[in-house]
Amino acid sequence: MIDSVAIKNSSSTEDPLSALQLLREKLRLEISQQKLDAANSCNFLCKTITTAIQKMSINEETIRQMKKKVTDISMMWADVLVKRGDSLAATQVFEEAVTENPYDAKLCYEAALFQLNQESSDIDAALLYFETCASAHLKIDIDVINLSELEKLFHYLLRLSDSLTDKHLSLLPEISWKIVGKNKAYLWMIYIVILDLSSESVNVILDYYEKAIVDVGDENDRRQIWLRYLLYRQHLASKLVEPTTITVKTRQIWLKNFTAVIRRCITTCSPDLAIDELLSSDARFSDYTFHNQVASIYLSCFHTRQHISTAYNFLTDLMPYNVPLLLR
């Protein structure tokens, strides 16, 4: 069984990463089959393996990779708990995961969004996750700070400014910009959430989304920013539905701009993925998963059959080989 293999591997200093990788895939399988008791066992086993690994002598890079896999498992389990409506248990999972791996900006971002999306939005709890992340990267203890101070810290981490406030500058040790770089996409998204919570103008937030897309080099990370960017623009569209508050012309202008952004997103993110490790160095295949997520966001902005049909034509013209979209 997979469980026994994972436990066996966890006792070997040569293969702890494989044990966690195997466990993560088993958890994904159990969740997809709605076997939540088995999924819970996977989460418990992850803690057991992590405790065993901590007693081993392992290099720093391997530890970093292991923490990443443990974080993935924690986030998957937290998502299950959220869907079950067990907010208290989900909060506990996020708390434990962030304490164990505060450098992981994606984890801190998702934990904060969870708090912000609760029925009773907990902004203070969300900001605490952001503080923890900033503190880990800057290697300083940060007292409870306001949005303005938090904004300056992430502004510095993203190298949008050369210095911090005098309050923190004298305490600042050498920062590991390599680790910051690995987390850059979600540091950007945290920064944008902080701007949004600070009631920054829509144009400023849109501008920072654009800067983030240009600044982040990793293709997968850049796609995550694109999705958040498009969802933010989609949210703006919801405010243009009520005819008493907006003119038809204003909505047309918005739709024209949004269509241009959708076009740029689809045309700059290639669906082609290399599989040279499986076949020849030139072998590639097309994966339209991301592009169809983008298509769904775009299509959700239309409500009449005629407009939806026009939107489909626009998308299929851009992606004539996107079979799932054509079938849809």
Side-chain angles (χ1 to χ4, degrees):
M1 291 179 62
I2 290 180
D3 283 359
S4 60
V5 173
I7 293 173
K8 181 180 178 181
N9 283 344
S10 71
S11 64
S12 169
T13 57
E14 298 179 358
D15 213 9
L17 287 174
S18 296
L20 289 171
Q21 175 71 22
L22 199 58
L23 186 58
R24 183 176 65 178
E25 297 311 312
K26 176 175 172 57
L27 177 58
R28 182 176 286 114
L29 177 63
E30 302 292 10
I31 292 173
S32 68
Q33 295 180 347
Q34 296 295 309
K35 297 180 179 179
L36 300 185
D37 288 338
N40 189 23
S41 297
C42 289
N43 182 57
F44 177 78
L45 184 57
C46 172
K47 294 180 180 179
T48 304
I49 293 174
T50 303
T51 301
I53 290 172
Q54 287 173 345
K55 301 176 182 178
M56 301 175 184
S57 177
I58 303 174
N59 65 61
E60 188 174 331
E61 177 58 22
T62 302
I63 290 175
R64 188 191 67 79
Q65 292 182 43
M66 288 192 303
K67 283 187 175 182
K68 178 67 174 68
K69 287 181 169 54
V70 171
T71 298
D72 289 345
I73 291 170
S74 296
M75 290 176 64
M76 289 167 64
W77 181 238
D79 187 55
V80 170
L81 294 172
V82 171
K83 290 176 179 175
R84 289 171 62 177
D86 195 343
S87 299
L88 188 61
T91 298
Q92 184 177 354
V93 171
F94 277 125
E95 290 283 353
E96 292 174 356
V98 170
T99 300
E100 182 65 30
N101 192 11
Y103 289 95
D104 195 315
K106 179 180 179 180
L107 170 62
C108 294
Y109 174 77
E110 295 293 349
L113 282 193
F114 166 69
Q115 295 296 339
L116 293 173
N117 291 331
Q118 293 296 298
E119 188 173 341
S120 298
S121 181
D122 193 338
I123 296 178
D124 289 339
L127 295 184
L128 186 58
Y129 287 126
F130 294 160
E131 286 180 26
T132 302
C133 184
S135 179
H137 283 287
L138 293 169
K139 300 180 181 178
I140 58 175
D141 278 332
I142 301 175
D143 298 329
V144 177
I145 53 179
N146 56 36
L147 277 168
S148 177
E149 286 292 319
L150 201 55
E151 179 184 333
K152 290 175 183 176
L153 293 177
F154 281 94
H155 203 265
Y156 179 76
L157 281 172
L158 292 166
R159 296 189 170 183
L160 299 173
S161 63
D162 296 328
S163 63
L164 292 174
T165 58
D166 293 338
K167 176 182 176 182
H168 300 108
L169 189 57
S170 60
L171 304 173
L172 195 63
E174 185 64 29
I175 294 175
S176 174
W177 291 109
K178 181 179 180 181
I179 295 178
V180 170
K182 292 179 182 295
N183 287 274
K184 182 177 283 187
Y186 284 91
L187 290 174
W188 268 111
M189 287 194 273
I190 288 173
Y191 180 62
I192 291 170
V193 170
I194 292 170
L195 292 177
D196 200 14
L197 291 173
S198 303
S199 300
E200 188 58 83
S201 72
V202 169
N203 287 338
V204 168
I205 292 175
L206 293 177
D207 184 51
Y208 275 114
Y209 268 120
E210 292 283 356
K211 288 179 179 178
I213 289 167
V214 172
D215 189 44
V216 173
D218 182 85
E219 176 68 18
N220 289 328
D221 284 345
R222 191 161 57 244
R223 289 183 177 196
Q224 292 306 309
I225 297 174
W226 267 117
L227 289 176
R228 293 294 179 181
Y229 180 30
L230 297 176
L231 286 169
Y232 181 76
R233 280 187 169 271
Q234 178 199 46
H235 175 68
L236 297 179
S238 65
K239 300 177 181 179
L240 305 181
V241 175
E242 190 62 45
T244 58
T245 61
I246 203 74
T247 65
V248 173
K249 184 177 181 180
T250 302
R251 179 172 173 80
Q252 288 175 341
I253 293 172
W254 173 88
L255 187 57
K256 179 181 178 181
N257 292 335
F258 190 46
T259 300
V261 173
I262 291 288
R263 180 190 297 276
R264 180 155 52 87
C265 173
I266 290 174
T267 55
T268 56
C269 296
S270 172
D272 295 336
L273 301 174
I275 51 172
D276 52 342
E277 67 275 13
L278 299 179
L279 299 172
S280 70
S281 59
D282 296 327
R284 305 184 73 82
F285 77 100
S286 295
D287 181 0
Y288 284 97
T289 302
F290 166 75
H291 298 76
N292 287 327
Q293 287 176 302
V294 173
S296 294
I297 293 172
Y298 184 61
L299 290 167
S300 70
C301 297
F302 302 93
H303 306 287
T304 68
R305 185 177 182 85
Q306 181 181 356
H307 290 157
I308 292 173
S309 178
T310 302
Y312 267 118
N313 288 337
F314 164 72
L315 293 169
T316 53
D317 284 346
L318 284 178
M319 301 177 285
Y321 302 109
N322 184 342
V323 175
L325 180 65
L326 294 171
L327 291 175
R328 195 168 149 186

